Amino acid sequence: MFVNFPRWSEDAPVSVAELKDGKPVAYPNDDWNSWRNARKDEVDPKTHFVCVQSVVADGQDRLWVVDAAAPAMAHVVKDGAKLVGIDLKTNQVVKTIPFDPSTVMQASYINDVRISPDGKTAYLTDSGAEGALIVVDLDSGSAKRVLSGHPSTMPDKSVTIQYDGKPLRRPDGRGVEFSADGIALSPDGKTLYWQAIKGKTLYSLPTDALTGWATASFVPESLSDRTLSGKIATVGENGPADGLLISRKDGRMYVTSPQDNAVKVRDLTKPDGGLTTLVQDDRLRWPDTFSEGPDGTIYVTTSHIQDSADYKPGAPISLPTELWAIKANQAAVTGSTGSGTAR
């Protein structure tokens, strides 16, 4: 079981960790986790974790690490933005894919990743100032930024993130402005889903519209934003949501609802299946991102964004965060009004 700790506010003693006996241990080793804010001019950002936003295991026994390389969600550290693959059998880094400034821009914040079932393609969201999707050919390391600034990847101006019954704003009045964040891939790898946190609409795109370009001598017209935009489908409304996951076991989509301290379920087999609340609990302070265990257990992190000093004057810089497990009964998973159990 693996977790990560981004440098959102203060420095962090570890970026990627394996949980052993409930305690985080630097992974894959101390050296990869040795970058520090105060040592940024001494430690090579190409070969060290700078600001890790997500860790996801694929079906080929690899752990993929998304390094946004933007401490405090500010400027991207030069040469730091990358996708790192670690072999879970040897615990060794086997692939490092750097992103150039045309793919991950200065105001970018690459956020989450999903890997195709065949292990050949990675799909990432950019939740920075200009939202986008990033498609990566994992064999060649080639990456392509698509739908940059497109309405489907940008914040929805009509949406205001609420918390505890009032708008969530910084002391200077700014609200939550995160672009494309949550991302999910169908179990067969044929459909990609995403949405902005400051948004309400879930979008999808067939993945065959995004692949097949890495070995071409030029990027085909089929991958242009003009062509892709015509293939985007509006799936339905989730309301503001952070994390998305489609279960391998039942094909349902799990959706985090930060405004409601809740995890919800969408039935993708219906034209607009709508959302059913799976579990709602005051302890789920900003449910963030998901993973699924081999037995179907759904894991979700809580990042407490609304409790942070960015939005709550006087709050401590460092906040405790949690990893929760949700054991759902079958009725709840299939979209009924039954309740799951969080622990």
Side-chain angles (χ1 to χ4, degrees):
M1 192 175 292
F2 302 91
V3 293
N4 69 275
F5 302 91
R7 290 182 164 90
W8 280 353
S9 51
E10 62 179 0
D11 214 334
V14 62
S15 290
V16 178
E18 181 179 2
L19 291 185
K20 294 185 176 181
D21 298 323
K23 296 180 180 179
V25 177
Y27 188 82
N29 52 48
D30 289 331
D31 183 58
W32 266 94
N33 285 272
S34 62
W35 196 94
R36 297 292 184 273
N37 287 330
R39 298 181 59 212
K40 67 181 296 290
D41 295 330
E42 306 167 26
V43 181
D44 188 355
K46 297 178 183 178
T47 55
H48 296 81
F49 298 135
V50 177
C51 181
V52 173
Q53 177 63 21
S54 182
V55 290
V56 172
D58 68 9
Q60 285 70 39
D61 284 330
R62 298 173 298 187
L63 185 75
W64 291 99
V65 179
V66 177
D67 190 351
M73 297 187 184
H75 300 304
V76 175
V77 172
K78 187 178 184 301
D79 297 326
K82 55 190 173 291
L83 182 64
V84 179
I86 305 170
D87 187 326
L88 292 172
K89 295 177 181 176
T90 64
N91 299 318
Q92 298 293 317
V93 171
V94 293
K95 194 86 173 180
T96 300
I97 299 174
F99 295 125
D100 63 35
S102 67
T103 304
V104 174
M105 304 184 298
Q106 187 55 247
S108 286
Y109 193 84
I110 49 175
N111 200 300
D112 209 347
V113 64
R114 294 292 179 262
I115 309 298
S116 62
D118 61 10
K120 294 183 177 181
T121 309
Y123 305 93
L124 296 92
T125 48
D126 185 343
S127 61
E130 187 168 303
L133 302 180
I134 296 171
V135 186
V136 184
D137 181 88
L138 294 176
D139 289 336
S140 68
S142 299
K144 173 67 176 173
R145 183 183 182 90
V146 298
L147 299 175
S148 188
H150 187 271
S152 69
T153 64
M154 291 294 287
D156 184 336
K157 294 181 179 180
S158 71
V159 173
T160 299
I161 307 296
Q162 303 278 329
Y163 222 96
D164 299 327
K166 56 185 178 182
L168 180 61
R169 299 190 183 280
R170 295 175 183 264
D172 63 5
R174 286 178 295 157
V176 175
E177 291 291 334
F178 301 128
S179 301
D181 188 310
I183 189 169
L185 188 63
S186 60
D188 62 8
K190 293 183 178 180
T191 308
L192 186 71
Y193 300 82
W194 73 92
Q195 80 164 80
I197 292 183
K198 180 181 161 59
K200 58 187 178 183
T201 308
L202 176 69
Y203 299 97
S204 73
L205 193 64
T207 55
D208 61 9
L210 299 170
T211 56
W213 52 270
T215 58
S217 58
F218 61 92
V219 177
E221 170 65 19
S222 61
L223 205 67
S224 71
D225 284 357
R226 181 179 64 254
T227 303
L228 287 177
S229 63
K231 298 180 180 179
I232 295 173
T234 298
V235 181
E237 291 193 0
N238 284 339
D242 196 325
L244 305 174
L245 177 76
I246 300 176
S247 169
R248 297 184 301 270
K249 285 189 173 293
D250 58 55
R252 266 51 177 184
M253 175 178 282
Y254 291 82
V255 180
T256 61
S257 179
Q259 294 190 135
D260 303 319
N261 304 319
V263 171
K264 301 180 180 182
V265 178
R266 174 178 286 278
D267 187 346
L268 294 172
T269 65
K270 299 177 181 178
D272 186 3
L275 291 175
T276 299
T277 298
L278 176 67
V279 60
Q280 187 169 25
D281 194 301
D282 288 343
R283 294 171 296 176
L284 295 179
R285 299 290 287 179
W286 201 285
D288 197 317
T289 196
F290 289 113
S291 189
E292 182 179 16
D295 63 352
T297 297
I298 300 298
Y299 295 89
V300 62
T301 58
T302 46
S303 55
H304 291 254
I305 288 176
Q306 77 276 24
D307 300 319
S308 69
D310 285 343
Y311 296 97
K312 185 177 291 185
I317 295 177
S318 179
L319 289 173
T321 57
E322 299 94 18
L323 175 65
W324 296 89
I326 300 174
K327 293 279 192 179
N329 61 50
Q330 188 59 35
V333 171
T334 53
S336 77
T337 55
S339 297
T341 302
R343 58 176 173 85

